[in-house]
Amino acid sequence: MPCTLRMQSICHIEKLTSSCGSGGWAGSAFLFLQSNLQQVDLPALYKDLEQKINVFKALKLTLSDSAGGLDGYEILKVHNTESALIIQIKFSDEMHCMAFLESYTSGGLKQCLGQHLKAVLPVTEELEIDTKLKAGSKTLDDFLKDRDRCLRCIKEAQPDRLRDDEVAQLETTLQSLMLNNRHPSEAVHNGSSSSSSEPLSPALPLNSREEGSLLPSHSFKFQGRVYDDRRLTSSDHQKFAFVIGKQWKKVGRSLQKGCRALKDPAIDNLAYEFDRDGLYEQAYQMLSKFRQSEGKKAKLSRLISALEENGLMGIAEQMLDIQPAERQ
């Protein structure tokens, strides 16, 4: 093998090894998806430049609902065949992988995917998806009740690639759409067109004089920096619902201390009422209650404080758009 190719191969293997973590749990699986409606040809829709992002959005939200949030898994590639879409998934956490398997076995994943696709595609009929799950050469559908065996097969099927460039671009585009207030559910929830989201003011580092003085009016401190406080926007609302996953209840219980609309049993009622709609919708509805009840008092600082209280610092950083280089 030429030296250059050998070095590229070694670098590729090292990247794959490091992406699985040192000694951490990792595995991969292939999820096969095929629609039962003739007019909903998933491979054809995914080839369509305008519909591709909608299909990807439905896939992403479905996996988030099934795995219990955005952590613990990663879409490596979407293979587009003539008859089906094949999603190559890397799992980096056993707990989230188990949650995914439970959702897949119970039919919850199928139901979520059908609902998310129906929300973004021009479909009026009930949409059902035929699925198959494979890890390596094993078809997991043949022994789904044996969870330990399924987990073992997924772990043995180590990821053989890094994330595809197309998937990385779709992830970036999807985040941009969410941040710029263009989620398809917005028209349903707001009932009218909304203005563009308010930009966050840049953080102001605290110097020695500021540390010993009171915070400026209409501001709050997070990780040693001062941020302008403001009412939560629709963009904040959608971003929170997209990233919070199964932790939305904890945040809701922190917010309920100063919000009568979220007092018990409001949060449990929301979880039950929107159980079939998935985690995104549950989180969205909880924050809707908070914003509608609190009005001008539904401030960014209160949401950040609730996230801090529950140790969700990474999500707080995402809400404040803190870049990795700025983290302390």
Side-chain angles (χ1 to χ4, degrees), residues 276-291:
R276 297 181 64 181
D277 298 307
L279 294 170
Y280 175 91
E281 192 64 26
Q282 290 172 332
Y284 193 102
Q285 293 297 332
M286 182 277 289
L287 203 59
S288 286
K289 270 188 172 292
F290 176 72
R291 291 181 68 195

Side-chain angles (χ1 to χ4, degrees), residues 262-281:
L262 293 179
K263 295 295 183 185
D264 291 333
I267 291 175
D268 289 334
N269 288 344
L270 285 172
Y272 176 78
E273 184 178 355
F274 295 97
D275 179 56
R276 297 181 64 181
D277 298 307
L279 294 170
Y280 175 91
E281 192 64 26

Side-chain angles (χ1 to χ4, degrees), residues 52-250:
K52 179 180 296 237
I53 187 62
N54 289 327
V55 175
F56 185 79
K57 183 187 301 181
L59 294 174
K60 189 76 177 175
L61 290 173
T62 299
L63 288 175
S64 176
D65 288 341
S66 301
L70 293 176
D71 298 323
Y73 75 91
E74 182 180 11
I75 297 176
L76 296 181
K77 186 172 178 62
V78 179
H79 300 269
N80 198 356
T81 69
E82 289 186 5
S83 59
L85 286 183
I86 307 172
I87 319 304
Q88 186 174 0
I89 309 167
K90 169 190 168 184
F91 293 98
S92 55
D93 181 278
E94 184 175 2
M95 181 184 69
H96 288 89
C97 185
M98 179 63 82
F100 170 85
L101 283 171
E102 289 177 355
S103 177
Y104 182 85
T105 304
S106 68
L109 183 145
K110 275 188 182 184
Q111 186 178 53
C112 282
L113 181 57
Q115 290 171 348
H116 288 309
L117 284 170
K118 192 173 179 181
V120 297
L121 297 175
V123 181
T124 56
E125 301 178 53
E126 282 302 313
L127 181 59
E128 292 185 8
I129 305 295
D130 294 327
T131 62
K132 182 168 67 174
L133 187 63
K134 297 190 70 174
S137 61
K138 304 289 178 57
T139 301
L140 304 189
D141 302 78
D142 295 338
F143 46 88
L144 280 174
K145 291 183 179 180
D146 190 343
R147 299 294 167 76
D148 290 338
R149 185 181 175 188
C150 289
L151 280 172
R152 201 161 54 243
C153 290
I154 290 174
K155 187 175 182 181
E156 289 171 357
Q158 288 292 305
D160 61 354
R161 63 175 302 124
L162 298 172
R163 185 171 63 169
D164 184 67
D165 288 343
E166 182 185 59
V167 170
Q169 182 60 49
L170 286 167
E171 294 267 14
T172 301
T173 302
L174 180 57
Q175 288 181 8
S176 176
L177 288 172
M178 299 297 290
L179 292 177
N180 287 288
N181 225 12
R182 291 155 68 183
H183 191 275
S185 64
E186 180 64 17
V188 176
H189 293 300
N190 282 355
S192 61
S193 61
S194 58
S195 59
S196 59
S197 60
E198 302 169 22
L200 285 172
S201 298
L204 306 173
L206 287 174
N207 57 34
S208 57
R209 283 180 61 185
E210 289 171 327
E211 287 177 357
S213 61
L214 294 174
L215 288 175
S217 178
H218 305 299
S219 63
F220 65 97
K221 189 169 80 170
F222 176 75
Q223 294 183 341
R225 290 170 172 257
V226 176
Y227 291 84
D228 288 341
D229 202 6
R230 53 174 173 74
R231 288 179 68 176
L232 289 169
T233 66
S234 296
S235 180
D236 297 326
H237 196 158
Q238 291 171 6
K239 188 199 290 191
F240 171 80
F242 187 68
V243 301
I244 192 61
K246 64 182 179 182
Q247 305 294 342
W248 72 270
K249 277 188 176 183
K250 291 182 179 179

